[in-house]
Amino acid sequence: MKRAAIIGTGAIAAAHAAALRDRADLVAVVDVDDDRVRAFAEKWGSPHVYSSVSALLEAETVDVVHLCTPPQYHAPMALECLAADVTVLVEKPPALSLAEMDALVEAERGSAGHVATVFQHRFGPAAIRLRRMTAAGQLGRPLMATCSTLWYRDDAYFAVPWRGSWDSEGGGPTMGHGIHQFDLLLSILGPWQEIRALAARQARDVHTEDVSLALVSFTSGAVAAVVNSVVSPRETSTLRFDYQHATVEVEHLYGYTDADWSVTPAPGHEDILPLWQKEQSDVTSGHRCQVEAFYDAVDGGEPPPVSLADARNTMEFIAALYASAFTGAPVRRGNIGPGNPFYTTMEGIGAPWR
Ligand SMILES: NC(=O)c1ccc[n+]([C@@H]2O[C@H](COP(=O)([O-])OP(=O)(O)OC[C@H]3O[C@@H](n4cnc5c(N)ncnc54)[C@H](O)[C@@H]3O)[C@@H](O)[C@H]2O)c1
């Protein structure tokens, strides 16, 4: 079994501890909050606690670090781990900017370790099936899609100091909430090409947006509408794909099973339904699915998913969304490189409500 550590023992860390239990030994946990890290170590049976990444790496030999701190620490801590040849599974978002993503890509080239990002909804059985059926052309060409993350986060949620700011969370619901849904969309529809977007701060006392809306074109010719919100009292997460031969859709909140998906064949394509239904599963698209895939790769000596290249694609989509929203112009893939204000921070030239 690989030797693992968890850094940041707050809310999401328990999902990692539960998911890695059968795949790795949790040899240490790290947090700046002494009481919290000790309670977590006791609950999950970790023999060692530390208050910093450097103390962990100095004292322990670990193969894998699960990085569950607030977003502003992700890239610097992942860089420390890569320098020690340790592989990282980092919570989303993996970094605050494309500049940080490129620093990670560069550091990974010189390390025996890798960096994988948590996008757990890519790993549910239905998403895997849909990617496979799309690639095999069984649904025909993807024509259009809609992707909504309509969640509700109240003022108390944003009272946590790292939330709602460009410097620590890196963005609003685009960066922190809708990222799961449109990352899944991108993993199915392939390379995106151009974005036209709007962002607004409607109701929350935050620096970032609390709502964003984007129209996206893909190199395949498909088009999509993406909406992200944290001000929507009836919460839902939805994806709908209209292919030539079928509509495929999912509605869930924080994780789906096959029961949350439906397939509606176009007339004359009813044979798609048994193809979809023959593999039904009741597995939920939670951390466990991705952590399994992660350790399968690590144990096999392969780079684990979701790779930095794939995560960078999603982060570039976010940077382009903000750039389009704040400049009022369409933004194409590849437009945001070094020298562009949206390369070093997602806020770029500044939100209009600043
Ligand atoms: N994949 C998902 O579905 C999902 C869900 C929730 C949160 N997240 C992500 O997980 C990350 C953490 O979110 P959370 O809700 O668990 O936050 P949290 O605030 O509950 O926990 C963060 C923990 O990190 C600790 N910490 C802060 N600075 C540290 C440092 N320098 N060194 C060590 N520990 C430090 C804090 O003390 C805290 O215990 C965020 O990036 C968030 O976006 C992902």
Side-chain angles (χ1 to χ4, degrees):
M1 293 249 265
K2 292 285 186 267
R3 292 168 58 82
I6 294 178
I7 303 177
T9 55
I12 204 60
H16 286 255
L20 69 77
R21 223 165 7 176
D22 300 332
R23 301 300 305 256
D25 289 325
L26 183 59
V27 296
V29 290
V30 180
D31 204 296
V32 287
D33 184 322
D34 195 49
D35 291 342
R36 188 175 295 168
V37 74
R38 286 185 189 286
F40 191 91
E42 192 175 335
K43 176 164 184 202
W44 295 102
S46 171
H48 301 290
V49 301
Y50 298 96
S51 60
S52 71
V53 183
S54 41
L56 165 79
L57 295 174
E58 226 173 84
E60 302 288 342
T61 304
V62 289
D63 305 297
V64 169
V65 153
H66 292 242
L67 202 36
C68 303
T69 57
Q72 76 268 36
Y73 302 112
H74 290 175
M77 288 177 173
L79 288 171
E80 268 191 89
C81 293
L82 285 176
D85 291 327
V86 170
T87 287
V88 180
L89 179 60
V90 60
E91 266 300 342
K92 60 77 192 165
L96 295 185
S97 65
L98 288 180
E100 285 192 348
M101 288 305 289
D102 287 343
L104 290 172
V105 170
E106 185 59 33
E108 194 186 56
R109 281 197 196 110
S111 172
H114 294 283
V115 177
T117 300
V118 176
F119 286 123
Q120 69 268 26
H121 300 313
R122 283 190 184 214
F123 296 86
I128 293 170
R129 187 180 317 131
L130 183 56
R131 268 196 299 274
R132 197 188 61 224
M133 288 177 74
T134 303
Q138 289 169 309
L139 299 161
R141 237 171 358 103
L143 305 176
M144 67 155 271
T146 57
C147 171
S148 300
T149 303
L150 305 177
W151 290 1
Y152 188 80
R153 297 292 182 268
D154 61 10
D155 291 334
Y157 173 89
F158 287 107
V160 173
W162 62 265
R163 295 206 174 110
S165 105
W166 298 104
D167 295 341
S168 48
E169 192 165 14
T174 317
M175 187 78 156
H177 306 81
I179 189 170
H180 283 297
Q181 238 65 238
F182 59 71
D183 172 76
L184 176 53
L185 174 93
L186 299 178
S187 84
I188 288 165
L189 291 185
W192 58 275
Q193 188 170 271
E194 188 177 85
I195 301 185
R196 292 148 202 263
L198 276 179
R201 192 181 60 176
Q202 300 291 63
R204 297 291 170 267
D205 184 18
V206 289
H207 299 153
T208 66
E209 85 286 4
D210 53 19
V211 166
S212 71
L213 308 95
L215 299 176
V216 190
S217 62
F218 289 80
T219 54
S220 69
V223 291
V226 177
V227 182
N228 309 293
S229 160
V230 282
V231 298
S232 302
R234 187 181 83 72
E235 296 189 288
T236 184
S237 315
T238 63
L239 274 165
R240 172 179 168 136
F241 300 90
D242 288 318
Y243 293 85
Q244 281 175 303
H245 304 329
T247 294
V248 181
E249 31 191 341
V250 60
E251 177 162 14
H252 68 119
L253 190 51
Y254 302 133
Y256 59 76
T257 69
D258 269 350
D260 299 310
W261 289 74
S262 70
V263 173
T264 309
H269 294 280
E270 290 75 13
D271 54 331
I272 284 171
L273 218 45
L275 267 182
W276 177 266
Q277 283 168 346
K278 73 177 181 198
E279 288 171 43
Q280 293 304 288
S281 152
D282 58 6
V283 169
T284 303
S285 63
H287 280 68
R288 188 175 293 273
C289 290
Q290 179 163 2
V291 167
E292 286 289 329
F294 173 86
Y295 279 102
D296 284 349
V298 169
D299 289 347
E302 300 290 328
V306 172
S307 71
L308 277 178
D310 285 341
R312 192 192 188 284
N313 182 53
T314 297
M315 291 289 281
E316 186 179 0
F317 178 92
I318 296 171
L321 189 156
Y322 284 125
S324 176
F326 295 170
T327 63
V331 176
R332 291 179 78 83
R333 189 174 149 83
N335 276 171
I336 302 174
N340 184 302
F342 290 89
Y343 182 73
T344 44
T345 157
M346 292 292 177
E347 191 185 13
I349 57 170
W353 53 83
R354 192 158 66 152

